[in-house]
Amino acid sequence: MRKKGFLFTGLVSFVLLATIAMVFAFSHKLRKNNDLVKDVFQVAEQQYGNMLLNATSLNQYPRTTNQKGQIQYVSIGDWTGGFWPGDLWYVYEYNKEKKWEDAAIKWTESLESNQYNTAHHDLGFMMYCSYGNAYRITKEEKYKAILIQSAKSLVSRYNPRVGCIKSWNSRMSWDGKTLWTYPVIIDNMMNLELLFFASKITGDSAYRNIAIRHAETTMKNHIRNDYSSYHVVNYDSATGNVLNQQTCQGFADNSTWARGQAWGIYGFTMVYRETGDKRFLLTAKKMADFYMNSSNLPSDKIPYWDFNVNQKGFTPQWNYQNNKLDYIPRDASAAAIVSSALFELSSYLGAEGKKYYDFAVETLGSLSSPAYLAKPGTNGHFLLKHSVGSFPHGTEIDVPLVYADYYFLEALLRYSNKKVLK
Ligand code: GLY
């Protein structure tokens, strides 16, 4: 009897101690998560507070820095204009301080005339990262009409024979002999979120159907058997046939441009969220597997700007002069996009999601370290260092980029569960 009582007391104490240890470990982890998020948003408040003092023209949008570290601005037609208001919305979403909401509204509304922009496919980036966040957070009715008109402008570039929205107008490929007349880039997957939104608020399924068809066509023609991706697919607009599978911002036509792969992972995850169609989930997962399992991914999980730079079997069609640099630059923007995407993807995968979640957290750890996160007062008031805009064009190599910051902040909000956003 005594022995039984002793055993029982032992068991109870063990369970009690184990529970206390678990609660402690969990709260410690939670505190650590919150500390990381808090620390980065503190840096964001400092950096962007200074950015707001510098960026005073509402038609000049901060995008990157020049070689002297000075802020470089772009005008309203540039594809990146929506990210600066988006950054401000994310800071507001974190701290709920009116100052940031005011700034976010001011910068968002400066983009209003873009709702009629039909010059390229980037309406999703420009308008959904700005007005989309604005509507999600404030529920301001007047933003709806602007988002719907933006969706209309975007679908004006859709051709049902191709089954895709045309990304760019005609342009030459790097080989100097191929004129792309219907180029579609993997990045375009990101613009589809605006179309799903437009269908939800109008009740008109036309936008959504175009988005689904675009995603299906992209899945067929942009994604290789190993789930790496082509950057550009050029179509015959009369027949819908694929004419070329090439690159514009990657190393070689058959290489995997890191940010292109990132857009694909994020884009297909989002299309799965909107459709529940398992084909898109599988594509997102396999594209993530390619990225995460690449033998050429550095241990800090921040990819080189292309997975195949200098590798045998990959020949650039452009004048590759790496001799100016004695290293292959990383692309923190790709890492930020992937981290944000993996937080969402992991939530659809049950127990299997853990490895995607852990990878997203490790990436955030690297991006938040002094190796990538700027010291306040430096980096042209952007957050992340070490991104690449377009290596082949010789532009924005190893610099801050406004969209790297945007997806970094989004990933942190997803990590902290602060953001209702999927
Ligand atoms: N959409 C252009 C880029 O990712 O550089």
Side-chain angles (χ1 to χ4, degrees):
M1 196 63 188
R2 239 184 159 174
K3 203 169 159 197
K4 259 194 185 161
F6 183 69
L7 270 177
F8 180 72
T9 319
L11 192 69
V12 170
S13 320
F14 175 76
V15 171
L16 208 66
L17 278 174
T19 311
I20 290 169
M22 267 163 60
V23 169
F24 178 78
F26 181 71
S27 62
H28 183 68
K29 189 167 171 240
L30 209 64
R31 191 156 48 79
K32 253 179 72 191
N33 295 359
N34 288 338
D35 283 352
L36 178 115
V37 175
K38 192 169 136 214
D39 289 351
V40 177
F41 272 94
Q42 255 170 21
V43 175
E45 286 169 14
Q46 292 177 66
Q47 291 291 78
Y48 292 170
N50 282 320
M51 183 73 89
L52 283 169
L53 296 177
N54 281 273
T56 48
S57 295
L58 283 170
N59 55 8
Q60 290 291 302
Y61 301 84
R63 170 169 164 148
T64 183
T65 56
N66 64 12
Q67 281 169 346
K68 290 189 194 142
Q70 295 158 330
I71 309 167
Q72 296 297 288
Y73 299 92
V74 286
S75 58
I76 190 165
D78 188 84
W79 77 277
T80 61
F83 293 113
W84 173 231
D87 287 336
L88 296 169
W89 281 120
Y90 285 162
V91 173
Y92 172 66
E93 194 156 23
Y94 180 77
N95 67 21
K96 292 283 185 260
E97 287 171 17
K98 189 166 177 324
K99 160 187 167 183
W100 296 96
E101 185 184 32
D102 290 347
I105 290 175
K106 195 171 76 174
W107 279 96
T108 295
E109 294 185 353
S110 75
L111 287 164
E112 186 173 344
S113 64
N114 253 337
Q115 64 185 303
Y116 302 106
N117 187 339
T118 56
H120 51 68
H121 70 148
D122 288 312
L123 268 280
F125 283 121
M126 296 154 113
M127 302 306 269
Y128 204 65
C129 300
S130 53
Y131 279 95
N133 278 313
Y135 179 72
R136 183 177 60 80
I137 293 168
T138 65
K139 292 286 172 287
E140 171 60 58
E141 278 296 305
K142 71 178 180 201
Y143 296 152
K144 269 192 191 169
I146 294 167
L147 285 159
I148 295 165
Q149 177 54 49
S150 304
K152 281 193 179 131
S153 297
L154 179 56
V155 297
S156 74
R157 300 180 63 86
Y158 177 72
N159 174 343
R161 282 185 301 274
V162 175
C164 271
I165 294 161
K166 182 156 90 167
S167 293
W168 299 323
N169 297 337
S170 295
R171 70 197 273 174
M172 249 350 212
S173 77
W174 284 114
D175 61 21
K177 33 184 208 266
T178 314
L179 180 69
W180 296 327
T181 54
Y182 202 105
V184 179
I185 60 175
I186 183 77
D187 324 26
N188 207 342
M189 287 298 300
M190 301 295 287
N191 294 310
L192 307 180
E193 197 166 4
L194 171 66
L195 302 185
F196 286 111
F197 173 83
S199 276
K200 276 184 271 189
I201 53 169
T202 58
D204 179 353
S205 58
Y207 304 101
R208 170 188 168 83
N209 292 342
I210 289 174
I212 294 172
R213 183 81 202 287
H214 182 105
E216 287 170 342
T217 310
T218 302
M219 204 157 59
K220 194 162 131 219
N221 300 324
H222 268 87
I223 314 302
R224 306 185 184 109
N225 289 340
D226 62 358
Y227 287 89
S228 65
S229 50
Y230 291 106
H231 180 207
V232 185
V233 176
N234 178 41
Y235 291 92
D236 180 329
S237 59
T239 62
N241 290 342
V242 172
L243 297 176
N244 315 93
Q245 289 166 308
Q246 295 184 285
T247 198
C248 185
Q249 285 163 258
F251 184 70
D253 290 343
N254 59 340
S255 73
T256 300
W257 174 47
R259 194 162 59 252
Q261 192 72 11
W263 293 139
I265 298 167
Y266 192 117
F268 282 107
T269 302
M270 175 273 295
V271 175
Y272 171 69
R273 175 215 311 154
E274 297 294 339
T275 60
D277 185 331
K278 287 274 193 296
R279 292 173 305 159
F280 299 127
L281 180 64
L282 183 77
T283 302
K285 181 171 168 290
K286 296 274 192 186
M287 288 188 84
D289 290 341
F290 177 92
Y291 180 104
M292 290 161 58
N293 299 334
S294 168
S295 56
N296 202 26
L297 183 71
S299 59
D300 66 2
K301 301 190 165 25
I302 313 301
Y304 298 114
W305 66 275
D306 187 294
F307 280 93
N308 305 108
V309 180
N310 290 337
Q311 287 178 1
K312 209 167 152 238
F314 297 89
T315 312
Q317 298 293 322
W318 46 282
N319 186 16
Y320 177 57
Q321 291 176 322
N322 200 23
N323 50 6
K324 287 194 209 128
L325 292 176
D326 58 3
Y327 66 100
I328 302 172
R330 308 292 191 87
D331 184 11
S333 77
I337 297 159
V338 167
S339 174
S340 184
L342 293 184
F343 281 119
E344 179 173 6
L345 180 64
S346 66
S347 71
Y348 302 137
L349 296 173
E352 211 194 340
K354 187 176 181 316
K355 73 171 182 217
Y356 301 91
Y357 182 89
D358 290 348
F359 189 98
V361 175
E362 282 176 56
T363 304
L364 271 191
S366 294
L367 291 175
S368 311
S369 75
Y372 294 93
L373 181 62
K375 232 168 83 188
T378 68
N379 206 38
H381 312 303
F382 292 96
L383 303 181
L384 288 177
K385 305 179 273 183
H386 307 308
S387 290
V388 173
S390 180
F391 202 106
H393 294 90
T395 51
E396 303 178 331
I397 297 169
D398 204 350
V399 290
L401 288 170
V402 65
Y403 46 95
D405 284 12
Y406 177 85
Y407 291 101
F408 179 45
L409 293 178
E410 183 179 86
L412 288 158
L413 289 172
R414 286 178 170 185
Y415 181 43
S416 69
N417 292 324
K418 245 189 162 19
K419 192 171 181 187
V420 191
L421 160 156
K422 260 311 186 173

